């Protein structure tokens, strides 16, 4: 048997993400959010990528960043002074209710994430 799939499509099958309503979050060097969808849907605000799934006839949305692991290490070591493990950080984050408003936008600069080199941003805040 021969089959092909991208890394995220393959992990989705391996983790059982073969129908809509399921989501995975993968954090390594990069980070991806992955969710199967039943039919092709385009995000007009360009926040999500739409790809065909490795499951025949199915699609998925994916959001990606190239510096997820590096960003978490920066948060743990520089902001939190290395006082917590990644598991402790994840457990603490799980207790926080989702925000209704964004108060701060983290601009990933450590590895020149995507097209930020064009903008040369320093910081960004929203009310």
């Amino acid at each position: 048997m021969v089959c092909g799939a991208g890394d995220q499509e393959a992990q989705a099958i391996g983790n059982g993400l073969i129908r809509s309503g399921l989501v995975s979050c993968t954090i390594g060097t990069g980070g991806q959010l992955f969710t199967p969808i039943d039919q092709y849907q385009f995000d007009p605000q360009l926040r999500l990528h739409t790809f065909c799934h490795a499951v025949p006839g199915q699609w998925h949305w994916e959001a990606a960043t190239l510096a997820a692991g590096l960003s978490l290490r920066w948060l743990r070591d520089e902001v939190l002074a290395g006082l917590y493990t990644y598991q402790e950080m994840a457990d603490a984050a799980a207790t926080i209710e989702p925000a209704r408003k964004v108060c701060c936008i983290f601009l990933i600069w450590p590895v020149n994430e995507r097209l930020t080199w064009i903008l040369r941003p320093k910081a960004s805040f929203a009310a």
Side-chain angles (χ1 to χ4, degrees):
M1 177 197 308
V2 176
C3 72
D7 58 352
Q8 290 307 301
E9 294 82 3
Q11 73 81 21
I13 289 175
N15 287 307
L17 281 90
I18 56 173
R19 60 181 164 76
S20 63
L22 301 172
V23 177
S24 70
C25 176
T26 305
I27 299 177
T29 302
Q32 295 82 26
L33 291 173
F34 181 106
T35 187
I37 54 178
D38 294 326
Q39 61 188 24
Y40 178 86
Q41 296 175 33
F42 174 76
D43 178 12
Q45 294 181 14
L46 304 177
R47 299 164 299 181
L48 303 168
H49 304 287
T50 304
F51 296 110
C52 57
H53 200 311
V55 175
Q58 195 163 21
W59 296 86
H60 72 86
W61 274 338
E62 185 177 327
T65 179
L66 300 177
L70 184 58
S71 297
L72 279 176
R73 185 173 65 189
W74 171 81
L75 175 65
R76 183 195 65 187
D77 295 350
E78 302 301 325
V79 177
L80 301 174
L83 298 174
Y84 304 97
T85 65
Y86 291 119
Q87 188 60 56
E88 290 169 328
M89 292 167 54
D91 292 344
T95 67
I96 300 170
E97 290 293 319
R100 297 199 193 293
K101 283 181 140 182
V102 174
C103 62
C104 180
I105 299 171
F106 176 56
L107 299 173
I108 303 166
W109 194 254
V111 292
N112 216 2
E113 173 69 14
R114 308 283 170 159
L115 297 177
T116 56
W117 60 272
I118 294 172
L119 305 175
R120 299 260 182 233
K122 301 294 183 206
S124 179
F125 297 92

